[in-house]
């Protein structure tokens, strides 16, 4: 009986060792998968920080809050810069044309 008991004990020990090896293998695979996941997360955060820093230095996000108009709606003054000057000249030309039209209408109406 000791031979049978020894064989059975050896069989159970081998089975237990195989099971432990499988458990260890799964644990290592899960650990590697989790480490890769966290390194990807850190890499993504680093990329996002560098992207944010780049857009902050270029001022890309700040432009979204700027008005598309070339004058200040509140103060009704023209913006400084080329576009503000263009708008100012265009408005002066329109005022000049209005004066000419007003004078012509005055002359043609007879009053």
């Amino acid at each position: 009986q000791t031979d049978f008991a020894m064989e059975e004990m050896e069989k159970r020990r081998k089975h237990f060792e195989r099971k432990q090896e499988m458990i260890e293998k799964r644990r290592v695979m899960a650990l590697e998968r989790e480490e890769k996941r966290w390194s990807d997360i850190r890499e993504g955060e680093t990329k996002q920080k560098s992207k944010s820093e780049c857009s902050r230095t270029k001022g890309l996000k700040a432009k979204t809050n700027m008005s598309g108009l070339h004058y200040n709606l509140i103060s009704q003054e023209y913006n400084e810069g080329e576009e503000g000057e263009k708008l100012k000249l265009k408005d002066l030309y329109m005022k000049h044309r209005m004066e000419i039209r007003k004078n012509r209408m005055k002359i043609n109406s007879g009053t």
Side-chain angles (χ1 to χ4, degrees), residues 16-61:
F16 178 76
E17 286 176 0
R18 273 197 310 262
K19 196 172 184 180
Q20 290 300 319
E21 286 175 9
M22 285 179 21
I23 290 171
E24 182 64 20
K25 191 175 181 180
R26 280 192 217 136
R27 187 189 69 77
V28 169
M29 286 172 50
L31 180 67
E32 288 173 354
R33 185 174 55 241
E34 195 68 18
E35 284 179 356
K36 184 183 180 326
R37 181 176 154 260
W38 278 106
S39 69
D40 290 346
I41 289 171
R42 282 189 219 103
E43 185 178 318
E45 287 175 352
T46 306
K47 283 182 182 178
Q48 183 62 35
K49 283 180 183 179
S50 65
K51 186 177 176 183
S52 296
E53 187 64 33
C54 181
S55 66
R56 189 177 304 120
T57 56
K58 289 182 180 179
L60 298 176
K61 292 285 184 179

Side-chain angles (χ1 to χ4, degrees), residues 2-21:
T2 57
D3 290 336
F4 178 76
M6 291 295 276
E7 284 179 23
E8 188 65 27
M9 190 174 91
E10 186 65 27
K11 187 177 172 183
R12 287 183 183 191
R13 188 184 60 76
K14 285 181 181 180
H15 180 70
F16 178 76
E17 286 176 0
R18 273 197 310 262
K19 196 172 184 180
Q20 290 300 319
E21 286 175 9

